[in-house]
Amino acid sequence: MITFENVTKIYQGGEQEVTALDNVNLQIEQGDIYGVIGFSGAGKSSLIRCVNLLERLTHGKVTVNNQDLLQLSPKELREAKRNIGMIFQHFNLLDSKTVFTNVAMPLILMKKPKEEVKNRVDELLDFVGLRDKADNYPDQLSGGQKQRVGIARALATQPSVLLCDEATSALDPQTTNAILNLLKKINQEYNITILIITHEMGVIREICDKVAVLEQGRIVESGSVFDVFARPKTAVARNFVRSVMHDDIPESVYQLIRAQEETNQIYRIVFFGESTGDPLLSQIAKRFHVEVNVLFGSITELQEIPFGNLIIQFKGEVKEINRVIMYINQQNVTIKEVLEDVG
């Protein structure tokens, strides 16, 4: 478990101070895959680097497995850090060493017996699918293979926590999916808690159980990935969700609607779980004197739960449209007006 309590990180830049983290409170439970998302400069890297003390926090406290690393002796700190693995955006491999030696390095530094090192490295290279690359050097590998080496190295000391610092942002989409699937496998088979920082909402959707949105050093929104996707509360969260849902109505469609004379209204309808299969629009067309025009629609899956998103135009009398809205509100869906009276 990782806990941030009132964490503040301030950098001194000459006479100026830059507050990278501002009173952050966050709890990541054992076994979670937890994502922290934010734009460049939001404080993501500072946040994750405070966990293993690559950055020293200015105020507050970070505990890992109920240990405050700042309160440990040097020997205790070394032991605690071995329990925290980290993978990096640009891999951070030793170019002059083989794949085997790169993965073995944490164990070599711990002065583990050679046979133990060999067994552990062989096991990890099998796990990440690179046993045949043991004698290769990093410059002989693809980006995805380099990241797999980085992951194997991070797992060498059998950590209970894995930190991922923009671990897929240097990779192409297909390789990104392969790395994310590997991280899922690590979480499931080793029960390792994973903290991921990223600026890509697609990464959050694909792998994370929970997410926190970081803006200007503050957590502005947090919750399950499903809740944040379905009901984003802040502008920055809505922007991130739209980046993967692609649910904006084109301006050309708005222009066509405005050119019409009828009273019409536009609504976003969000479906959850079993309700994605309900014939709601068909029922509305049969029950009420309104025309239903689907402007946009998509169905995806979040945490193995179907998630549907429709943008609908209702055309007809205001009184009848209001009856439709009352009916929809009684169903297992969420509806919100997007544009009022654009006729």
Side-chain angles (χ1 to χ4, degrees):
M1 185 170 71
I2 307 169
T3 304
F4 296 81
E5 298 180 44
N6 306 314
V7 170
T8 295
K9 173 62 182 178
I10 299 173
Y11 293 99
Q12 299 290 339
E15 296 180 357
Q16 291 186 328
E17 290 185 344
V18 177
T19 301
L21 298 173
D22 188 1
N23 199 39
V24 170
N25 290 279
L26 193 63
Q27 184 161 304
I28 299 160
E29 301 291 345
Q30 173 64 34
D32 276 352
I33 304 180
Y34 203 112
V36 176
I37 191 164
F39 292 112
S40 178
K44 305 186 301 298
S45 290
S46 295
L47 180 82
I48 201 167
R49 291 166 71 89
C50 282
V51 176
N52 57 3
L53 298 189
L54 291 179
E55 296 285 356
R56 294 272 175 155
L57 48 157
T58 308
H59 303 294
K61 182 168 70 171
V62 177
T63 58
V64 181
N65 298 327
N66 298 316
Q67 287 185 305
D68 180 354
L69 269 58
L70 287 173
Q71 303 302 316
L72 301 180
S73 68
K75 181 180 179 182
E76 291 170 333
L77 181 59
R78 285 193 298 272
E79 291 294 327
K81 282 190 171 185
R82 288 169 186 156
N83 203 36
I84 306 171
M86 189 167 189
I87 59 176
F88 302 88
Q89 177 180 1
H90 297 296
F91 320 126
N92 286 17
L93 302 180
L94 300 171
D95 292 334
S96 63
K97 303 295 183 181
T98 64
V99 166
F100 183 97
T101 305
N102 266 279
V103 176
M105 191 56 65
L107 302 174
I108 293 171
L109 294 174
M110 292 170 64
K111 296 181 169 46
K112 293 291 185 180
K114 287 186 177 181
E115 189 64 25
E116 181 180 337
V117 171
K118 184 180 186 308
N119 290 339
R120 179 62 177 160
V121 174
D122 286 346
E123 174 191 345
L124 289 169
L125 290 178
D126 276 337
F127 185 82
V128 301
L130 290 178
R131 183 69 175 269
D132 61 330
K133 303 293 183 183
D135 296 327
N136 288 36
Y137 289 86
D139 63 2
Q140 297 174 297
L141 305 178
S142 68
Q145 290 171 334
K146 289 177 183 178
Q147 194 57 285
R148 288 174 181 271
V149 175
I151 291 171
R153 179 185 58 191
L155 296 175
T157 58
Q158 299 180 303
S160 65
V161 170
L162 183 60
L163 308 178
C164 302
D165 186 358
E166 296 276 11
T168 61
S169 62
L171 306 175
D172 63 74
Q174 184 175 355
T175 306
T176 291
N177 287 337
I179 293 299
L180 294 179
N181 286 332
L182 178 58
L183 291 175
K184 285 182 188 177
K185 183 180 176 183
I186 289 167
N187 173 259
Q188 292 166 358
E189 295 193 14
Y190 294 152
N191 193 32
I192 291 178
T193 304
I194 300 178
L195 172 59
I196 295 176
I197 64 164
T198 182
H199 63 276
E200 300 171 296
M201 199 62 169
V203 170
I204 301 295
R205 179 181 65 178
E206 181 64 28
I207 191 175
C208 295
D209 307 309
K210 298 172 186 173
V211 61
V213 182
L214 195 64
E215 184 178 28
Q216 295 182 338
R218 287 179 170 269
I219 301 291
V220 297
E221 189 164 347
S222 63
S224 74
V225 169
F226 188 85
D227 285 343
V228 171
F229 264 84
R231 308 177 189 88
K233 298 180 179 65
T234 60
V236 65
R238 285 192 292 271
N239 286 337
F240 276 121
V241 170
R242 285 172 182 161
S243 72
V244 293
M245 300 301 290
H246 306 297
D247 59 2
D248 287 335
I249 304 174
E251 181 60 27
S252 60
V253 176
Y254 276 137
Q255 295 295 339
L256 288 173
I257 296 168
R258 292 188 181 100
Q260 300 173 13
E261 295 183 357
E262 301 99 329
T263 299
N264 55 75
Q265 294 173 304
I266 298 177
Y267 292 84
R268 184 186 308 278
I269 300 176
V270 178
F271 301 77
F272 311 103
E274 294 180 359
S275 65
T276 55
D278 293 340
L280 178 63
L281 300 185
S282 175
Q283 293 169 359
I284 290 170
K286 291 177 182 178
R287 287 171 175 256
F288 303 96
H289 299 292
V290 296
E291 292 183 36
V292 181
N293 183 19
V294 178
L295 302 178
F296 175 87
S298 69
I299 296 178
T300 186
E301 196 173 75
L302 298 172
Q303 298 174 331
E304 300 182 354
I305 300 173
F307 173 84
N309 180 54
L310 290 177
I311 296 179
I312 303 295
Q313 176 192 18
F314 293 126
K315 299 168 63 175
E317 297 293 333
V318 173
K319 182 177 180 180
E320 193 70 358
I321 291 175
N322 288 339
R323 290 182 62 219
V324 171
I325 303 309
M326 289 178 61
Y327 172 77
I328 292 174
N329 280 325
Q330 295 170 1
Q331 313 307 311
N332 186 30
V333 300
T334 297
I335 182 167
K336 183 177 180 181
E337 194 158 8
V338 176
L339 183 65
E340 293 187 36
D341 198 11
V342 296

